[in-house]
Amino acid sequence: MIPVSEPLFDGNEKKYLNQCIDEGWISSEGPFVKEFEEKFSSYLGSRYGVAVCNGTVALETALFAAGITKGDEVIMPTFTIISCAAAALRLGAKPVLVDSEPETWNMDVTQIEGKINDRTRVIMSVHIYGHPVDMDPVIELAEKYNLKVIEDAAEVHGALYKGKKAGAIGDVGSFSFYANKIITTGEGGMVVTNDEETAERARSYRNLCFKPGRRFYHTELGENFRMTNLQAAVGVAQLEQIDRFIEIKRAVAKKYSKGLAGTPGLKLPVEKPDVKNVYWMYAIELAEESGFDAGRLAAHLAEQGIATRPFFLGLHEQPVFHNMGLFVDERYPVAERIARQGLYLPSGLTITGEQISKVVVALREALCHG
Ligand SMILES: Cc1ncc(COP(=O)(O)O)c(C=O)c1O
């Protein structure tokens, strides 16, 4: 099987991990955690980084740090991972949804204003599959209505929007370093911000809201979301390679786009002006007239040894939320269509040109001959 994603560890990962073991620093108290926070946030152009144990809790920590609490509303795309809505719900806030725009599959920013009311506190911009959200209109709305902007940048390490790194544009950025992400720590995440108080609240929340100066005394409920020194050691080594990894992702995308150009019934990923797409995954959408939906094409490719992944099923279509009385009669036609017609192709950092060619031939044959 050609895998969808494989990490690449050909830098200092083993050396730094050995250092942790040799020196006995394995918990979150070790020096690599601070080093990873400082180096990753400064790579983004952000002042503070707070490392946590995955990207899901990074979102919750970001919302807590931004002051979100019971009864608040958080506007987010329906086309995203469940982590976004779960983070809001865990803090007692309500996720409020918008549809995707069809070109980049990112949130349709023209729908945000219609969802703002006096309980709205945050716009959560989720950058999808490597392509940044159109952030200028989001920032303008946030200024107009006095809202915070949280970016879920799990899938866009190093992507640029008008020269700025995604994740460092809004008030708070949230990252994942899961094994399939551009740089990985196995499991891991980070919250970044330029605001000292927000960073302090994030640090406090990930560490059980211990009070500085008085141990085991709490005025708020926090969590143990700490990242270990072992994870951060891998993160520091991976970060040394990030520019190369992004170049690999872009080269993979270029080869796919060249091979697949003109294939009937296939929509390829775009790179809008003023944006650098890092093509975290090479995602495609099938026209309904192609005779294929994502499930059928995935099964067809799997028979030929090619692994794929389906697109997200929108939050408004999730039974778990219907059971909670959320989003019951809501419809988002773009998200509904792409959930059924979209999938992503093998895009790992170790993929070879030969493997990409095999995927291209299989796809062209399927779509040209049915
Ligand atoms: C957009 C987005 N946000 C958040 C997450 C959650 O990150 P994690 O798997 O590290 O919890 C993911 C997926 O991993 C994601 O794709």
Side-chain angles (χ1 to χ4, degrees), residues 262-283:
T263 310
L266 200 54
K267 181 197 168 304
L268 305 180
V270 298
E271 183 171 52
K272 303 271 274 187
D274 275 335
V275 155
K276 181 177 182 181
N277 187 343
V278 288
Y279 298 99
W280 168 60
M281 290 290 166
Y282 193 85

Side-chain angles (χ1 to χ4, degrees), residues 60 63-64 67-74 76 84-96 119 121 205 223 324 326:
E60 184 180 327
L63 285 169
F64 178 89
I68 292 313
T69 171
K70 201 165 183 298
D72 292 345
E73 293 191 1
V74 179
M76 63 183 68
C84 300
L89 289 164
R90 291 208 172 97
L91 293 169
K94 183 178 169 205
V96 173
R119 291 179 300 279
R121 296 284 174 275
Y205 192 65
E223 299 281 353
M324 295 163 77
L326 286 168

Side-chain angles (χ1 to χ4, degrees), residues 53-57 59 80-81 83-84 126-128 152-155 174-178 180-181 187-189 280 312:
C53 52
N54 60 60
T56 298
V57 304
L59 288 165
T80 186
I81 193 159
S83 312
C84 300
V126 186
H127 307 289
I128 296 288
D152 182 349
E155 303 181 355
S174 173
F175 287 84
S176 163
F177 304 115
Y178 180 63
N180 66 6
K181 297 302 185 290
E187 301 283 350
W280 168 60
F312 297 120

Side-chain angles (χ1 to χ4, degrees), residues 221-236:
L221 269 187
E223 299 281 353
N224 175 355
F225 287 163
R226 301 183 298 252
M227 177 184 269
T228 67
N229 203 46
L230 295 161
Q231 292 167 308
V234 175
V236 170

Side-chain angles (χ1 to χ4, degrees), residues 19 23 25 27-36 229 232 236:
Q19 216 170 302
E23 293 170 4
W25 286 111
S27 77
S28 58
E29 291 289 309
F32 278 118
V33 177
K34 212 171 184 43
E35 184 177 344
F36 187 40
N229 203 46
V236 170

Side-chain angles (χ1 to χ4, degrees), residues 40 44 54-55 58 153-154 156-157 166-168 173-177 188-192:
F40 190 70
L44 296 170
N54 60 60
V156 288
H157 305 177
S174 173
F175 287 84
S176 163
F177 304 115
M190 201 177 300
V191 172
V192 301

